[in-house]
Amino acid sequence: YAFLEKFNLDLAMTVKGDEDIPLFDSMIFMSRRYKNDGYTTVDVALGYEVNEHFNVWTRLENLFDEEYTVGGYEAPGTSFFGGIKFTL
């Protein structure tokens, strides 16, 4: 969503249902079934166009600090990113 001609706002929601996945267990050299509970995450990003060559942006992922796993590994909590983009 663009507003005030210079700003850009993005909102994303990911909804994932329960899943049953195989994970390799290196102790027994076999796969075991792992139940991964469903989860919902919300991400938001904001950008500002300083001029046609220069853009500043920021992004928050997992805004509500949802605890979940991906491939058997715990996902990070709320994460903040930011940057500057320069184009010729």
Side-chain angles (χ1 to χ4, degrees):
Y1 174 73
F3 60 99
L4 299 177
E5 295 185 22
K6 297 271 188 178
F7 287 92
N8 185 13
L9 178 68
D10 296 313
L11 181 65
M13 182 167 61
T14 302
V15 179
K16 181 89 170 169
D18 294 348
E19 62 182 339
D20 186 32
I21 57 174
L23 288 179
F24 183 74
D25 186 338
S26 62
M27 298 298 288
I28 60 173
F29 295 100
M30 294 178 65
S31 290
R32 290 203 235 194
R33 304 303 290 177
Y34 174 77
K35 183 173 182 347
N36 195 11
D37 295 331
Y39 60 89
T40 300
T41 61
V42 176
D43 306 330
V44 64
L46 177 67
Y48 175 69
E49 183 181 315
V50 178
N51 60 42
E52 66 180 277
H53 300 289
F54 190 66
N55 188 310
V56 179
W57 60 272
T58 186
R59 183 175 77 233
L60 273 169
E61 293 183 354
N62 195 4
L63 182 63
F64 299 112
D65 201 22
E66 180 76 16
E67 291 183 11
Y68 64 99
T69 59
V70 176
Y73 296 98
E74 189 174 317
T78 301
S79 301
F80 175 79
F81 303 91
I84 299 169
K85 181 180 178 183
F86 180 77
T87 55
L88 297 175

